[in-house]
Amino acid sequence: MEFIKYKSTRGKESGVNASEAILKGLADDGGLFMPEKFPKFDFALEDLKGKRYQEVAYEVMKLLLSDYTKEELTDCIEKAYDEKFDTEEIAPLVKAGGAYFLELFHGDTIAFKDMALSILPHLLTTSAKKNGIKNKIVILTATSGDTGKAAMSGFCDVEGTGIIVFYPKDGVSNVQRLQMVTQKGDNTDVVAIHGNFDDAQSGVKKIFSDKDFAKKLSENGIQLSSANSINIGRLVPQIAYYVYAYVKLLETGDIAAGEKINVCVPTGNFGNILAAYIGKQMGLPVDKLICASNENKVLFDFFEHGVYDRNRKFVLTSSPSMDILISSNLERLIYLSCGSDGEYVSKLMKDLSAGGKYEVTKAMKDFMKDFIAGFADEKKNFEGIKSLYDSTGYIIDTHTGVAFSVYEDYKKATKDMTKTVIASTASPYKFADSVLEAIFGQKQDMGDFEVIDKLHEIGAPEIPKAILEIKDAKIRHTRECDSADMQKEVEDILFNNRR
């Protein structure tokens, strides 16, 4: 098996082992780690039929995490994908409305982030042991709603770690907020910021790039790492579920071996759809990658015109995990599209930082032709949720609704009837009020938990444990700050032990 090393998208760091890249999160030059080459599948997809999710995940992940032993990686996978998921399949594939919905929300926090954040703590602590790290590892992360809770759940009371999460105070659903502020664990801290997700994400990146602060932390036996999708340890596990979906389609006879599928993903930070793209580079028979945006359609405009421009009105929508104007993982695709020219990527990222925009060349745009972009506004999203419910009884959340609506538009425009997997990224219970509004055509005059009961009443499956747990849970985290003061908050938490 080939030994894969990692390098930075900005060109100044290379030859890094997977375990080191996971430990660091972000490269020293501010870039994101990428494999120096994509290994090809060393298995036939047909041979995975009948395998457990955990077994499929191992076959995929071993190719990219090649400095982990079989025992180490198997241990991480088995600890991650266990009874915390409410279905033995881990990621069921449901056929409805002419598409296949890959349900990625059966974990602890009922969102797709569980798929990667259940395993990241184990990959990280294994990395620390492998690399002789004695420091306390503090996870610093920004969230648009789901990453925060999933990361805290994963790292809760994990020895030798701490986690600090920043989220936009008015930019998450009430269920998302409650899941975070009631999180238990002596090593968890949550801070609401006055600003949007992009402010939180930029603030976290700034803290990571502050060399003086890193030195101060090191002198106190602390080092930072990331749980955001900028960490390659988040990206690699996501590839596995697209392979699993393909294998499931083979098992049911819905596709023949080697038949290409399309993948449609509701997209914010670009990590989830990028995982499908990497899967394609490794040998997964994928044709088109349909990138679905909400009204914050910065990615739609980028794929249409080749100009990435975040200088626009920020819209708060019913799909808050996609309310993002700086899609960090797009840097990885940009890097590939310019022939892995780290210096050029660095220039474009400086342009984005200084002026809020950059433009790619025609050759780079042509390189990205596998990606098809679409967007759905609130009206179209709600119409998609309702039409699917009315025709099939299947209930999807507002992020999956964006993807379904964009897919329907794509089919009408292209007449492409290739079988398509839609990444269903959150349980409808997580956004129950908006889902009910879509189905009934108006906002329901009910409390948070009444709408959850109503959703169950009209056909949603069993109410998840993650929802029941927050019903009477005690609020434990009340910190908030301006986005400019995020580093001060980190210092206060780490050095003054103030909660």
Side-chain angles (χ1 to χ4, degrees):
M1 192 171 69
E2 207 169 0
F3 197 88
I4 300 297
K5 297 239 178 190
Y6 288 77
K7 57 185 175 180
S8 167
T9 51
R10 301 192 189 176
K12 292 192 175 147
E13 199 169 353
S14 61
V16 178
N17 286 338
S19 64
E20 295 172 293
I22 289 171
L23 207 50
K24 292 181 81 166
L26 205 61
D28 290 338
D29 59 7
L32 311 185
F33 285 112
M34 279 290 278
E36 293 189 345
K37 65 179 291 191
F38 292 124
K40 295 296 180 186
F41 292 158
D42 63 353
F43 51 83
L45 288 159
E46 307 93 276
D47 292 345
L48 297 181
K49 289 196 293 187
K51 300 277 189 193
R52 297 159 61 235
Y53 183 87
Q54 295 85 339
E55 293 169 305
V56 173
Y58 173 74
E59 292 300 328
V60 175
M61 290 170 62
K62 76 176 198 281
L63 300 172
L64 285 159
L65 305 182
S66 44
D67 68 323
Y68 285 76
T69 66
K70 182 176 184 179
E71 292 71 29
E72 286 169 340
L73 189 51
T74 302
D75 184 56
C76 289
I77 289 167
E78 293 294 338
K79 281 176 178 169
Y81 305 113
D82 59 8
E83 65 281 349
K84 72 172 77 71
F85 285 81
D86 64 18
T87 170
E88 214 174 301
E89 281 183 287
I90 307 298
L93 194 64
V94 176
K95 188 176 182 179
Y100 299 85
F101 291 85
L102 181 61
E103 293 187 346
L104 301 171
F105 52 75
H106 288 279
D108 251 359
T109 67
I110 56 175
F112 83 102
K113 307 291 173 78
D114 287 323
M115 298 299 295
L117 283 165
S118 292
I119 192 167
L120 183 61
H122 304 294
L123 292 174
L124 201 59
T125 49
T126 302
S127 294
K129 284 177 197 157
K130 288 172 79 65
N131 290 280
I133 300 298
K134 305 289 187 214
N135 286 345
K136 177 181 180 180
I137 299 164
V138 173
I139 306 301
L140 187 62
T141 199
T143 186
S144 55
D146 290 330
T147 290
K149 169 61 182 178
M152 285 189 290
S153 177
F155 282 94
C156 175
D157 290 332
V158 171
E159 195 179 341
T161 71
I163 178 162
I164 302 170
V165 170
F166 290 97
Y167 73 94
K169 185 179 179 185
D170 299 315
V172 299
S173 78
N174 198 40
V175 168
Q176 287 175 312
R177 183 188 67 81
L178 283 170
Q179 282 190 306
M180 287 189 280
V181 299
T182 59
Q183 174 65 47
K184 294 176 183 172
D186 292 336
N187 64 339
T188 64
D189 285 278
V190 188
V191 187
I193 69 151
H194 310 141
N196 59 38
F197 170 73
D198 291 324
D199 297 324
Q201 183 167 249
S202 297
V204 164
K205 283 183 176 177
K206 193 175 173 189
I207 295 168
F208 269 109
S209 62
D210 187 326
K211 300 287 185 275
D212 290 336
F213 188 49
K215 187 171 178 237
K216 181 179 178 182
L217 291 174
S218 182
E219 286 165 357
N220 285 273
I222 297 169
Q223 70 185 67
L224 297 179
S225 189
S226 170
N228 276 85
S229 56
I230 55 174
N231 192 315
I232 199 73
R234 274 278 304 275
L235 196 54
V236 170
Q238 291 179 289
I239 302 165
Y241 50 69
Y242 292 111
V243 176
Y244 183 74
Y246 191 89
V247 172
K248 282 287 158 193
L249 289 171
L250 285 175
E251 278 180 22
T252 55
D254 284 88
I255 59 171
E259 183 180 339
K260 286 191 174 182
I261 63 168
N262 291 335
V263 173
C264 181
V265 186
T267 312
N269 221 13
F270 205 72
N272 201 1
I273 196 166
L274 184 70
Y277 176 78
I278 293 172
K280 176 173 180 168
Q281 305 315 302
M282 294 172 72
L284 191 63
V286 170
D287 187 20
K288 294 300 179 191
L289 296 126
I290 303 166
C291 176
S293 298
N294 66 13
E295 285 178 59
N296 292 292
K297 56 189 182 72
V298 66
L299 286 166
F300 170 79
D301 291 338
F302 170 72
F303 283 113
E304 287 287 295
H305 308 296
V307 177
Y308 193 96
D309 187 355
R310 66 174 171 87
N311 300 309
R312 62 185 67 209
K313 185 184 173 191
F314 182 85
V315 186
L316 289 172
T317 74
S318 64
S319 47
S321 297
M322 299 162 69
D323 291 345
I324 293 172
L325 295 181
I326 303 174
S327 299
S328 287
N329 278 290
L330 185 62
E331 181 173 335
R332 288 183 159 117
L333 182 63
I334 296 294
Y335 169 74
L336 295 172
S337 73
C338 68
S340 306
D341 184 343
E343 204 171 305
Y344 189 66
V345 173
S346 198
K347 178 200 170 298
L348 292 184
M349 294 308 122
K350 277 178 188 156
D351 290 346
L352 181 64
S353 182
K357 65 190 286 190
Y358 60 81
E359 185 169 1
V360 299
T361 65
K362 184 181 181 304
M364 291 166 72
K365 193 168 183 296
D366 289 345
F367 180 92
M368 303 179 209
K369 64 183 183 302
D370 290 346
F371 289 88
I372 302 291
F375 77 96
D377 61 18
E378 292 286 85
K379 182 172 180 286
K380 188 175 273 294
N381 183 7
F382 281 21
E383 285 170 355
I385 293 168
K386 179 173 170 53
S387 72
L388 186 64
Y389 175 71
D390 287 346
S391 61
T392 67
Y394 187 61
I395 300 175
I396 55 176
D397 89 293
T398 44
H399 300 75
T400 312
V402 168
F404 179 66
S405 299
V406 167
Y407 172 59
E408 289 288 283
D409 283 350
Y410 170 77
K411 269 198 305 188
K412 280 179 201 153
T414 63
K415 307 292 185 272
D416 179 4
M417 300 310 288
T418 302
K419 294 184 178 75
T420 297
V421 169
I422 294 177
S424 186
T425 53
S427 164
Y429 284 111
K430 201 150 196 173
F431 305 93
D433 51 351
S434 296
V435 172
L436 283 182
E437 186 180 346
I439 289 170
F440 290 110
Q442 60 184 24
K443 211 159 186 56
Q444 304 299 292
D445 187 19
M446 298 176 182
D448 285 325
F449 294 100
E450 286 176 300
V451 295
I452 282 160
D453 290 338
K454 181 69 177 174
L455 198 59
H456 182 45
E457 189 185 303
I458 66 163
E462 207 61 38
I463 298 171
K465 187 177 68 174
I467 294 288
L468 298 174
E469 280 176 349
I470 61 171
K471 209 166 183 177
D472 303 306
K474 180 186 168 194
I475 303 288
R476 300 184 70 250
H477 304 279
T478 57
R479 281 180 173 268
E480 58 182 81
C481 72
D482 291 335
S483 57
D485 295 327
M486 287 168 59
Q487 186 165 311
K488 284 183 193 167
E489 286 293 310
V490 172
E491 293 193 48
D492 197 36
I493 290 165
L494 295 180
F495 300 133
N496 299 329
N497 290 315
R498 284 177 50 199
R499 303 197 86 102

